[in-house]
Amino acid sequence: GGDGGAPAPAGEADGFEDAPSIDVRLVGRAGLHARPSTWLVEVASRYRSEIRVRHGGRTANAKALASLLKLGVEAGETIRIVARGPDAEAALEALREAVEGGLGEQEEAEEARAAAPAWRPESNGRALAGVPASPGLAIGPLWRFQAARIVVDDRPEGEPAEEARRLEAALEAAREQLETLHDEVEARAGKSEAMIFRAHQALLADEDLRGEVRVAVAAGHGAAWAWQRAVDARVAEVATVADPRLAGRAADLRDVGQRVLRLLAGEERGAPRFPGHPVILVADDLTPSDTARLDPARVLGLCTAGGGPTSHTAIIARSLDLPAVVGAGPAALDVADDRPCILDGTAGRLYLEPSAADLASARRFQAELRGERDRAMETRFRPALLRDGHRVEVAANIARPGEAAEAVEAGAEGVGLMRTEFLFLGRDAAPTEDEQVAALTEMTRALAGLPLIVRTLDIGGDKAVPYLSMPAEDNPFLGVRGIRLCLRRPELFVPQLRAIYRASVTGPLLIMFPMVSTLEELREAKETAERVRLEVGVAPVPIGIMVEVPSAVVMAEELAREVDFFSVGTNDLTQYVLAIDRMHPALAAQVDGLHPAVLRMIDLTVRAADAAGKWVGVCGGIAGDPAGALALTGLGVRELSMSLPSIPPVKALLRGVTLAQARAFAKRALACATAGEVRALPMP
């Protein structure tokens, strides 16, 4: 604060002799006059370090406007910025970016950018219009994907007991395959994208279906035939339903049915053949298993005759970063293999007769898109400073210790959500306190001073942990989960808190309680944590809560007084606000975190937190979505935590806008009536 006193001569011993510094040239038409200086002060003030600006033998305090104005720096001159303190390097990097960005003076020159740059063909060749499913442009030969369907005769290979054993082995192998697929897709694309394979496991576990097949096998029928007949009957029932989303469940049933049949009939039957060169795949529709098995090195893009933008094909194509068009109609299947085509996933079109000029312009466009992506990767370590110097922290959601180092490499400025469930799942007993300390310490070391927000155990009726012997619940999402489970199970909660406090001496660590719905739960959890902290004998750490229940939003003013921060879990908040189970096969597609009802909830949360001087983060799916990141920033969210692939592009997006633009976008989003309207808003 203050005006920094009279500018000191640069050579004077002021304690900054060995401090890190940068030399940077002022761009734009103005020197360090009032507006650019105000901008510089705003950026400098975000950091705890002491910062000085030196020019022409004089020194000014970078956080004091009057001091800066006395330097009299003109346009085009070079200044030296020196910083001393805990975040000196980050401060210098942010200030370099602010000065090179013109300190707000280039505002008029840079017109608003289009949301997604569009490619325009040069000629009017034949094109099929579908639904945009995954952005980007693919150029290459078409190839029709036909998953060979396995049909079996009723020929048992052995006695009923042997056939029954083969069936059980195939069902168990299919369950394990789905588990692997789930983990792979979750690691690549996130939790919600992977949930389809959980649904497939549930279909596989259907006791009615299994019972019917077992009865047929016991009566002397072949296991493969009995399984296929039972599945086909169910597919036929579901496929006739009028609701298209429910009818879509038939594809999932068919997928699970074929998976088990492949195992019973030998895996090589039913494997699709591929040409030796990369292709644009065209298919009637792809099952989740087909899409998840695609090799991105051999597939340039995807086009399906059926399906919609929320189909699994679309979701997995986005996770694989493949351009995709869905719902292009049956005409897509009449195209000859190996015909060179252009697939535009952004516009939702497949160009069947591109001219030489079209192909050349499409390649140029591809190169531009690649350049944009490369720039996002190159600048991923720079902070997400908006064009007016407002800073948003961009952090990572992680679920395993090894991901902490990957998060830093992706450009994360910390971990906004560390899911501790991995320590408890897939084992026969709870992890020991020492095991938990070791895992947390591995992460704090990898983060090397960046913050780690540790969410305490969040399991409930939907995540089965055999050794906890939790009773089955009719409605697990409204049952004993999150903090409710922790408070009822001190034998799990206390060792976890002890481990967190013991690890807190190795790096900046914050505690976050999940699923808090009442003030009483928060107070009880805090009392337990404080008792544990005193026993361990360490300094306090910041404590926050996940805001994912409507009651927490409504009581946010009271809760904000008793926590250090909020983190909004938009995936759960969306399902509770809209009263739709996000795993529901027929309704899950309607669970969109950009629904105005959810955005208004976040707006209320941020207002309550601001009034109490607390910050709000978001660690749900919409934080990594371009429109979501922009709207949340405009609502006043200070930290966005997301899956690793989203970090570089989201940071790049935010650096291209001003806070005023983000606020205007958020205001328009709040005024929308549907999630579709929000998604249709033009981005600045």
Side-chain angles (χ1 to χ4, degrees), residues 98-114:
V99 174
E100 288 176 351
L103 293 170
E105 290 298 289
Q106 286 183 318
E107 184 94 34
E108 304 78 20
E110 286 184 40
E111 289 304 323
R113 296 167 305 125

Side-chain angles (χ1 to χ4, degrees), residues 491-661:
E491 74 279 10
L492 293 176
F493 194 34
V494 169
Q496 180 170 48
L497 288 170
R498 283 185 61 85
I500 293 170
Y501 278 115
R502 281 172 59 193
S504 73
V505 299
T506 66
L509 206 147
L510 300 82
I511 295 174
M512 178 158 73
F513 297 129
M515 292 298 303
V516 171
S517 57
T518 67
L519 206 53
E520 293 90 332
E521 285 170 346
L522 170 61
R523 286 174 178 160
E524 192 182 338
K526 279 179 67 181
E527 278 163 22
T528 307
E530 183 58 10
R531 198 165 58 245
V532 167
R533 181 185 76 79
L534 293 170
E535 280 169 20
V536 175
V538 294
V541 304
I543 289 179
I545 61 166
M546 295 278 287
V547 173
E548 39 197 343
V549 181
S551 62
V553 176
V554 177
M555 300 300 289
E557 272 181 38
E558 289 77 7
L559 290 164
R561 291 186 204 122
E562 306 201 16
V563 296
D564 297 302
F565 66 94
F566 285 147
S567 185
V568 183
T570 54
N571 301 0
D572 267 321
L573 182 61
T574 305
Q575 82 169 349
Y576 289 119
V577 167
L578 299 179
I580 297 176
D581 177 352
R582 59 192 168 98
M583 308 312 167
H584 194 292
L587 302 173
Q590 296 171 34
V591 182
D592 188 337
L594 282 181
H595 193 290
V598 181
L599 294 177
R600 291 175 196 181
M601 286 285 197
I602 297 168
D603 184 40
L604 292 171
T605 306
V606 174
R607 286 166 189 253
D610 281 350
K614 308 294 164 66
W615 60 271
V616 178
V618 168
C619 60
I622 63 168
D625 176 301
L630 190 62
L632 295 170
T633 298
L635 290 175
V637 171
R638 302 303 295 249
E639 179 228 49
L640 300 173
S641 195
M642 60 200 68
S643 61
L644 307 190
S646 303
I647 292 169
V650 164
K651 286 176 99 173
L653 168 89
L654 292 175
R655 288 192 209 105
V657 298
T658 62
L659 185 57
Q661 286 173 320

